Each structure stands twice: as C-alpha cells, then as structure tokens.
Amino acid sequence: MAHLPDFNRDVFCILGLPFDRVSLADAERITRTAVLQRQRCFLSTPNLNFAIACLEDPQFRLSVIQSDLSIADGMPLIWIARATGLPINERVAGSSLFQSLRQAALPAGGEALRVYFFGGPPGVAQAASEKLNASASSMTAVGFDSPGFGSIEEMSDPVSIERINASGADFLVVALGAKKGQAWIQYNLPRLRVPLVSHLGAVVNFVAGTVSRAPVWAQKTGLEWLWRIKEEPKLWRRYWDDGVGLLTLLVDRVIPLAMAARRQTPVATQFEAAHMAVEEREGDCILRLSGAVGQANIGRLRALLPEAARSSSPLVVDCTGLGHLDSAALASLMLLYGACHAAKRPWAVLGVSPELRKQFELHCAEYLLQPSA
C-alpha cells in the first residue's frame, strides 16, 4: 500500500494549500521525532510565491498536498489566516527551523543531526558543508552534491541517489529552485532512505555565507523581502509579481472569504446534525457529507478518511445536502485527494450546489471539484 497521510494532522486551507497549525517548537519536535524513528517526513515550506505558483501548476500544488508537514513560511500567509479567522498565527520559516535544529542542545548521549546538501550554485553546497562542520552545533554535514542544471531524471541517476543513501544522512536539504526541488523530491522519495527531506533553497546559501539572512525584526514584520532584494537584486521581479498577485487574491478571494466567514458561520446544532459516512457501493468508495462540516466536528471527518484512503475503488465525495465546508475540512479533504492521486485512484466530487461551489472557489480549492481519471 502506498504511503498514507496522517489524517490527524491539524491542517487548514490557505489559498488552496493545506497548512499545519504548528509553532516553530512543534515543527522541531515533529522533524526530530521523524529522524529518531526513521519515519519519512517530506517537509514543504510554502510561502506566498509558492502559493501563487501552485494556483496555476497542479503538479507543484500536489507536491505540497502530498507532503507530510506543510509550514507557513511567509508573513502574507499569516495575515491571510488572521483575516479569515484561521488559528494559524505563527510564521514557521524553513530557514528558522533549520537554524533551530542546528542550535538545539544535544541530549546526553545524543548524536548530531547528519545533513546532506543537494543542489545550489556551483561550489555552494560544498562551502555549506565545510562551514557547518567548522562550527560547533548539533548538526554535521555528511555529504554534498551540486548536480548542475539538468532535467529531474538527469539529476536522479542511481549513483547520486545511492551516494545520498550511503551517507547515512538524517536530513536531506535540496536546493534546486522551488518547483524543480519539489518535483525532484517527489520523483525520488521511493528510493531515498533519508527520513527528513525538504527543499530549502535559501538555507544552503545562508549556511555557506554567500547570502546573509534578514534580521529578526524584518522577518517578523514581513519586510524580509526587502532584505532579500538587497542581498539578491535579481529577486525584485519575483517579489513584484508576488505583490501584484497578492493584491488580486485579496480582492477576488481573501476579502470576500473573510466577509462570508463573518456572515455565514453555521451554529453548533448544524455541526452536530451533520452526516458523514464511508461506504463501498457499485464499485465506488463513497464519502458522503451533508449539513455543516468544519473545525467544530472535524474529528468525525478525520476518523473516516483512513478508511476512504485504504480503499482501492474510485473515490466519490458525495456533497448532496452539504451546505458548509470550512478551511479545516477542505484541508483534510486535500490530504485524501493527494492520497488518491498517489494511488492513481479516480477522484470525483458530486452534488455540489452553487453556494458550496462558491466556498471552494473562495478558498482557491476549486481544483478539488475537477474529476481525475
């Protein structure tokens, strides 16, 4: 059976992507546990640029949906969460998580976290490896590779993958550009034996010292982009495009969603009366939802999702009679959607009213309504 998501994750949908409600300390604990137990943890760190790109790139979006931990690496995402009433109020940057893991005190008898750097400009991965090992920390570099600028397949040759596996790394840090890095990880996860894997492009530069990270005040106020432009002037165009994209999303999606959330929130009795069930019928696995499904009764939905995910039948989400689906419910459905895609199971959502369709659209989750073969 394919790797199944942890449906008990406390996830919420922001701009069509699932985000875990975690603090920096939570993320450090989760990733350390994955390393200690040698369990796979594909960590994604979406920021605003990620989210905007995912709106137009289904495969890129799927890489976030199918990750094991998705943290909000961008203050604009936190602002959107606050505006729409979501309980995600702490930015957890991938760079901050790496630094936290690096600076943590080792327990008595504990071993340093073994890191492998893959990617980055020529020479940067080697410099990062050397600088990491030259400083006292709870990390040690066990290898590096600069594969150049080939295709995903060319950068995934058996020799490179075996070199990573043979290093005994606990943490594989990939730096190939966000889209290519996420795609490379997805392509190679079945062959990688490293428990913790993440695309953290800027981290390699920060560790190597080729780029300095913004001061804490800039990170916390959402002005890190100005510092990044100072350090890497070529990034100005990306931030300009992201700013224009954010304004469009605010007008078309975020503000209407915030207004709808204040105007149309169901009462407790509607959540209590909601019907949820999974059944096999006429060759399909049917997840039936009606009434109001959301944070107030999310435990009932989460309890059903593993059964729906383990089935080998085409998945049908029957929304006949479903009047309300909030960010928490949508994010949990995204995990199921990702599991179906990984297992190559057909996916369809039926019985969607115009009002419910509008809710999907305001959350940038209308792609869930598109059937897949």
Side-chain angles (χ1 to χ4, degrees):
M1 182 178 292
H3 174 79
L4 291 182
D6 175 7
F7 290 109
N8 288 317
R9 288 166 57 188
D10 196 12
V11 286
F12 294 84
C13 168
I14 303 175
L15 299 182
L17 296 177
F19 287 88
D20 290 84
R21 175 168 59 172
V22 291
S23 64
L24 178 60
D26 292 332
E28 182 181 344
R29 174 182 51 78
I30 291 168
T31 51
R32 282 197 178 279
T33 299
V35 169
L36 288 172
Q37 297 181 355
R38 308 306 291 180
Q39 292 180 345
R40 192 192 83 178
C41 181
F42 172 20
L43 165 69
S44 286
T45 62
N47 54 21
L48 179 64
N49 180 259
F50 249 69
I52 290 176
C54 285
L55 293 174
E56 305 297 332
D57 191 327
Q59 191 57 43
F60 189 30
R61 178 173 61 225
L62 198 59
S63 74
V64 177
I65 292 172
Q66 293 178 334
S67 60
D68 300 296
L69 180 63
S70 175
I71 57 178
D73 186 350
M75 282 307 299
L77 298 174
I78 302 302
W79 297 334
I80 290 171
R82 291 172 181 168
T84 53
L86 302 183
I88 295 181
N89 49 31
E90 179 181 340
R91 178 195 178 198
V92 184
S95 302
S96 298
L97 176 56
F98 182 92
Q99 191 66 13
S100 182
L101 290 167
R102 181 180 180 181
Q103 294 178 340
L106 283 175
E111 295 183 357
L113 198 67
R114 294 165 293 189
V115 180
Y116 194 106
F117 295 107
F118 185 88
V124 173
Q126 180 177 354
S129 182
E130 292 171 351
K131 289 208 170 186
L132 184 62
N133 287 341
S135 62
S137 74
S138 59
M139 281 185 177
T140 182
V142 294
F144 61 87
D145 198 351
S146 297
F149 302 96
S151 66
I152 298 295
E153 292 77 11
E154 290 169 339
M155 290 188 289
S156 305
D157 62 281
V159 173
S160 295
I161 300 303
E162 180 52 33
R163 187 159 54 240
I164 294 170
N165 287 334
S167 72
D170 302 309
F171 190 0
L172 174 60
V173 176
V174 180
L176 300 173
K179 285 190 179 183
K180 181 175 279 190
Q182 291 283 113
W184 185 91
I185 291 171
Q186 280 199 299
Y187 185 82
N188 289 295
L189 267 180
R191 296 190 292 163
L192 289 168
R193 296 196 296 270
V194 182
L196 179 58
V197 183
S198 183
H199 181 272
L200 300 172
V203 163
V204 179
N205 290 316
F206 293 156
V207 177
T210 56
V211 175
S212 62
R213 194 179 179 199
V216 174
W217 67 264
Q219 298 174 33
K220 292 186 175 180
T221 57
L223 294 176
E224 188 169 4
W225 60 276
L226 281 174
W227 182 275
R228 290 292 303 277
I229 291 175
K230 177 186 78 71
E231 291 290 304
E232 301 175 84
K234 64 181 180 180
L235 291 178
W236 77 267
R237 183 71 191 185
R238 190 190 93 178
Y239 285 113
W240 172 268
D241 291 342
D242 288 348
V244 172
L246 176 60
L247 287 175
T248 301
L249 287 168
L250 287 174
V251 173
D252 294 345
R253 309 289 182 110
V254 178
I255 294 175
L257 179 60
M259 294 174 64
R262 287 162 174 77
R263 188 174 61 245
Q264 302 170 352
T265 303
V267 297
T269 54
Q270 291 174 284
F271 287 110
E272 292 169 4
H275 176 72
M276 306 178 219
V278 174
E279 62 181 68
E280 294 279 343
R281 187 169 183 177
E282 298 179 355
D284 291 330
C285 177
I286 304 174
L287 173 62
R288 298 192 188 279
L289 304 174
S290 65
V293 181
Q295 183 64 12
N297 55 12
I298 195 66
R300 290 171 57 193
L301 176 62
R302 290 174 180 164
L304 294 173
L305 297 182
E307 180 183 352
R310 284 192 291 266
S311 172
S312 58
S313 304
L315 196 289
V316 176
V317 182
D318 185 352
C319 297
T320 304
L322 181 63
H324 177 81
L325 200 65
D326 74 3
S327 172
L330 279 168
S332 289
L333 285 181
M334 288 171 188
L335 301 187
L336 179 61
Y337 172 85
C340 286
H341 271 264
K344 297 181 171 54
R345 290 172 60 197
W347 163 281
V349 180
L350 306 178
V352 179
S353 67
E355 293 78 12
L356 187 61
R357 179 176 293 274
K358 186 64 175 178
Q359 293 176 37
F360 276 84
E361 291 172 352
L362 290 180
H363 283 95
C364 301
E366 59 266 37
Y367 63 87
L368 292 176
L369 302 178
Q370 300 171 2
S372 64

